[in-house]
Amino acid sequence: MVGHSLSRFHEIYECEDCHSLWWIKTRGTGDPRSTYPEFYEQTAERIDDQRSELIRKPTVAGIILHKDSPLPYSFFEEILEIVSLSEKENLKELFLKRDQNLPSSVKRWLREWFPKEYPDEFKEVQKSGFQSYSDLLLLLKENESVFVSEFIARDQFAFITCCEDEWKLQTYDLTNRQIFWTKKIERPFLEGVQIPILFYQSGYLCYYQGFQKGSEFYSKLNRPETLCIYDLSGKEILTIPLRFKCYEILSTEERDVSENRISHNFYFSILADKLYLPFESKIQVYDLKTGNHLKTISLPGWEVFSGKAFETESGQILFHTLKGIVGMNEKDQVTFHYSSPYHPVFIDSNFHLYYYYSIVESADSGKKIEFKKTYESSVSLVRQLSSKPVEYPGGIFLPFSLDGSYLLDSNLKILKEFPFSTTDTIGPHAFGIEKNPVLVTEDRITITDDYTGIYMIDFSGNLLLEKPIQSEVLSVFTFDGKHVIVVLTKQDDYSNDDQIEVILFSPKGESITEKILPNFVGLSVNFDGMTVFAKGNQIFLIDLFSMDQSK
């Protein structure tokens, strides 16, 4: 049926009569020369004119055109060897472009070929990654590395660096392209649960340093040792020794309400330039304009302040505790107090306490609501939450473990039920994970689930986005209250290094930009979508709204 094989390509033969190309596929086990092989089969497929053109006249453009076409397993590697002799520059451009839709065999071949042909440029790629669309902002000392960054203004960001165990806090001015101020600092809090250690809050730059050992056997119970607060010009306002709480909740102690998890109060609130800081079972209040300690507030019943405080329209302040709510007037007199015997995972603005086993308790009335699932056998079981409920204007998004989610109104009535949920962050198998898989923006709710999908709904429950994913969601956040950024782990065939994928979504759920960056370390985004990231001792800048969509 077929005649001579095209020696350049395995499994491709040319007919002696009509000169058409055929793909001879062979599969089976045993020796085909045997009289009775275990299993052996050959099939022939005529190759169409488009693929035949690529086989007879190999080009880089043809490879890209037929990247999804069915061809023999080793075909792309064989054709690349031929093309590399005549289109070396085009292959270089293809490697640097880093097209994620190319076959894996093409990406792996390019990864091995590029260092041999362009060793100097490959060294630069190793240093800075593939960011041909990025702008190098800052080159630090050779053995200095960036640990974290945070924008504190549209054109300024703060960052922490480490060089031979010497730590520095610095700010960089994008307008003048220079370091604005530098401070020597102590080692940051790295020995416990992963919480933000450098962050902007209410006009101040805040930093956790050092650690206090919480357990001889379990490092996630360690606590930050010191809180440092700076103004945006670099003036140190406060350095405060901390007395945070961090401990295990045992499922045997809160049976049928909670599973084993960690409870901590690694938060604080800033209201009208006043700092409200947990200190053992009290609240310390500081004036951030002067740095002076104003007072210490004692809570009733040895309650532990969670760090979350809210000012009401009447001027009262509500303090969320690890087990309830305390309301106080301007004279620090208790006007409201509700304490639960258990630890809620979330408290909303309507004084509802939410527990792991989908029990919602009203601090006003004491009434409880249970969200159960009824099976075909008529058995009803209480559901478990996969992550903390999230409040949006007009209601609550309630995610269940492996069992969908609800959109509730402010009266806890079900508005809509969804088949998807979130990453498990509060269950017994997610012990010590500190990340928020749900984000509320101006009029949208974005839900993420590791290795499953990204979803976006509006406040009426209409599904705007459903994007399958096959990687872990590292972070979901917004920089302007409208656009959403999702950061995923990323592994591809162009590199063996750990990488991340940054996806920018519009308020309508449309993907605006998808960028691959070296790692999550040092990533920060300003109000205009300008993004800084680090690799080694270099800091780069990219514009997420740039028209350049190269990956």
Side-chain angles (χ1 to χ4, degrees):
M1 181 175 64
V2 293
H4 303 291
S5 168
L6 291 180
S7 60
R8 298 191 295 185
F9 306 112
H10 287 83
E11 300 184 12
I12 295 179
Y13 294 79
E14 183 175 358
C15 177
E16 293 180 341
D17 298 325
C18 65
H19 300 289
S20 59
L21 299 179
W22 291 77
W23 177 5
I24 307 300
K25 305 176 186 179
T26 303
R27 65 191 184 100
T29 59
D31 188 346
R33 295 168 296 180
S34 170
T35 307
Y36 301 103
E38 296 176 32
F39 170 76
Y40 196 77
E41 179 184 84
Q42 278 188 317
T43 57
E45 175 189 333
R46 186 181 183 279
I47 298 174
D48 57 40
D49 293 342
Q50 288 78 19
R51 286 180 291 169
S52 296
E53 180 69 18
L54 172 63
I55 294 167
R56 298 186 192 279
K57 298 179 181 179
T59 62
V60 171
I63 294 173
I64 297 173
L65 180 64
H66 290 282
K67 60 187 177 184
D68 297 320
S69 299
L71 288 161
Y73 179 77
S74 60
F75 174 79
F76 284 111
E77 294 179 358
E78 294 167 348
I79 197 173
L80 284 165
E81 292 290 347
I82 299 169
V83 171
S84 64
L85 302 175
S86 58
E87 296 191 54
K88 188 176 176 181
E89 285 298 317
N90 288 340
L91 285 177
K92 172 187 174 182
E93 183 180 341
L94 186 63
F95 175 77
L96 294 176
K97 187 179 179 182
R98 209 177 185 191
D99 186 350
Q100 295 300 309
N101 296 318
L102 289 175
S104 295
S105 58
V106 174
K107 291 186 277 189
R108 287 194 296 266
W109 187 92
L110 289 171
R111 186 182 71 194
E112 295 175 1
W113 171 83
F114 188 82
K116 299 175 184 176
E117 299 296 326
Y118 300 95
D120 294 336
E121 293 188 37
F122 179 71
K123 290 179 181 178
E124 290 301 315
V125 167
Q126 289 294 93
K127 288 182 179 179
S128 61
F130 286 79
Q131 292 73 40
S132 57
Y133 47 83
S134 63
D135 181 12
L136 177 61
L137 285 181
L138 191 60
L139 182 63
L140 305 171
K141 296 177 183 177
E142 187 173 350
N143 56 347
E144 190 172 13
S145 59
V146 178
F147 186 74
V148 66
S149 71
E150 175 81 354
F151 269 98
I152 58 177
R154 250 192 170 102
D155 59 350
Q156 285 185 21
F157 65 91
F159 61 100
I160 293 175
T161 62
C162 179
C163 180
E164 297 177 352
D165 210 29
E166 182 179 294
W167 298 84
K168 290 181 182 179
L169 172 60
Q170 306 177 71
T171 58
Y172 186 87
D173 190 300
L174 290 178
T175 303
N176 299 316
R177 295 291 179 111
Q178 63 182 17
I179 298 290
F180 187 46
W181 53 263
T182 300
K183 300 279 184 182
K184 285 188 177 182
I185 57 174
E186 299 297 322
R187 177 183 171 86
F189 173 64
L190 305 175
E191 288 79 11
V193 294
Q194 293 184 351
I195 61 171
I197 58 168
L198 178 71
F199 51 96
Y200 173 91
Q201 184 168 330
S202 302
Y204 298 92
L205 183 62
C206 309
Y207 168 61
Y208 286 130
Q209 68 182 22
F211 78 98
Q212 301 164 348
K213 183 168 284 190
S215 169
E216 291 291 334
F217 311 102
Y218 194 52
S219 63
K220 286 186 181 290
L221 298 181
N222 293 336
R223 307 177 299 272
E225 184 175 42
T226 308
L227 170 64
C228 302
I229 299 181
Y230 303 85
D231 67 16
L232 302 189
S233 65
K235 177 185 176 183
E236 185 175 305
I237 299 172
L238 285 172
T239 298
I240 311 170
L242 298 172
R243 293 294 183 271
F244 283 152
K245 298 283 187 179
C246 183
Y247 52 88
E248 284 186 75
I249 302 171
L250 301 179
S251 56
T252 52
E253 296 174 349
E254 300 195 356
R255 191 179 301 276
D256 300 327
V257 174
S258 178
E259 283 291 344
N260 197 40
R261 63 186 181 90
I262 290 177
S263 179
H264 67 79
N265 61 346
F266 298 170
Y267 306 98
F268 56 84
S269 297
I270 298 176
L271 304 175
D273 293 307
K274 291 181 181 178
L275 170 68
Y276 294 84
L277 181 71
F279 190 88
E280 296 177 340
S281 60
K282 300 179 176 63
I283 303 172
Q284 291 187 337
V285 184
Y286 293 85
D287 184 348
L288 293 181
K289 291 183 177 179
T290 62
N292 295 329
H293 176 252
L294 297 178
K295 57 185 175 181
T296 298
I297 302 173
S298 297
L299 294 175
W302 298 97
E303 291 273 15
V304 176
F305 178 39
S306 71
K308 299 174 183 178
F310 309 89
E311 189 170 5
T312 66
E313 294 180 355
S314 61
Q316 295 193 47
I317 297 181
L318 296 175
F319 300 105
H320 286 187
T321 67
L322 294 183
K323 287 190 172 183
I325 307 168
V326 176
M328 289 189 174
N329 60 21
E330 295 178 350
K331 297 180 180 179
D332 298 334
Q333 296 172 330
V334 176
T335 58
F336 179 85
H337 180 210
Y338 183 83
S339 181
S340 169
Y342 309 109
H343 290 77
V345 298
F346 178 71
I347 303 174
D348 69 18
S349 60
N350 292 319
F351 291 11
H352 292 128
L353 283 68
Y354 298 76
Y355 299 96
Y356 173 72
Y357 276 105
S358 300
I359 301 169
V360 184
E361 182 180 15
S362 171
D364 280 331
S365 64
K367 293 182 178 180
K368 294 182 180 179
I369 299 175
E370 294 183 348
F371 291 95
K372 296 183 177 182
K373 182 174 182 178
T374 302
Y375 294 86
E376 293 180 359
S377 60
S378 299
V379 174
S380 293
L381 298 177
V382 176
R383 291 174 159 179
Q384 300 90 38
L385 296 179
S386 59
S387 62
K388 295 178 182 179
V390 176
E391 189 168 11
Y392 69 94
I396 295 289
F397 177 76
L398 200 64
F400 301 113
S401 178
L402 304 174
D403 203 16
S405 54
Y406 285 162
L407 191 68
L408 309 178
D409 64 14
S410 57
N411 296 317
L412 304 182
K413 302 296 182 183
I414 300 173
L415 295 176
K416 203 151 189 178
E417 183 174 358
F418 303 101
F420 50 80
S421 188
T422 68
T423 305
D424 182 7
T425 60
I426 60 174
H429 299 293
F431 200 68
I433 291 179
E434 286 288 322
K435 66 178 180 180
N436 297 315
V438 183
L439 175 70
V440 177
T441 49
E442 192 174 55
D443 54 359
R444 301 284 187 264
I445 303 174
T446 303
I447 303 106
T448 62
D449 190 2
D450 289 355
Y451 307 101
T452 304
I454 303 169
Y455 313 92
M456 184 183 289
I457 61 175
D458 61 20
F459 293 165
S460 299
N462 298 310
L463 183 63
L464 305 175
L465 167 69
E466 184 173 5
K467 180 181 176 66
I469 58 173
Q470 297 180 338
S471 54
E472 180 186 355
V473 179
L474 297 176
S475 180
V476 53
F477 61 93
T478 180
F479 53 87
D480 62 358
K482 299 179 182 179
H483 294 83
V484 175
I485 289 181
V486 179
V487 182
L488 306 165
T489 57
K490 180 68 177 180
Q491 292 184 342
D492 62 17
D493 294 301
Y494 287 107
S495 172
N496 290 322
D497 300 332
D498 292 333
Q499 303 165 108
I500 62 169
E501 182 176 16
V502 179
I503 308 177
L504 172 64
F505 291 103
S506 74
K508 296 181 180 180
E510 300 163 341
S511 176
I512 298 175
T513 305
E514 297 182 18
K515 302 286 188 185
I516 295 176
L517 302 180
N519 51 57
F520 193 43
V521 173
L523 181 73
S524 184
V525 185
N526 78 352
F527 189 81
D528 299 316
M530 302 302 293
T531 303
V532 295
F533 64 93
K535 183 176 175 69
N537 65 335
Q538 301 173 99
I539 300 178
F540 297 89
L541 176 72
I542 59 172
D543 182 0
L544 291 182
F545 288 103
S546 171
M547 295 303 291
D548 180 4
Q549 293 299 308
S550 47
K551 300 285 181 94

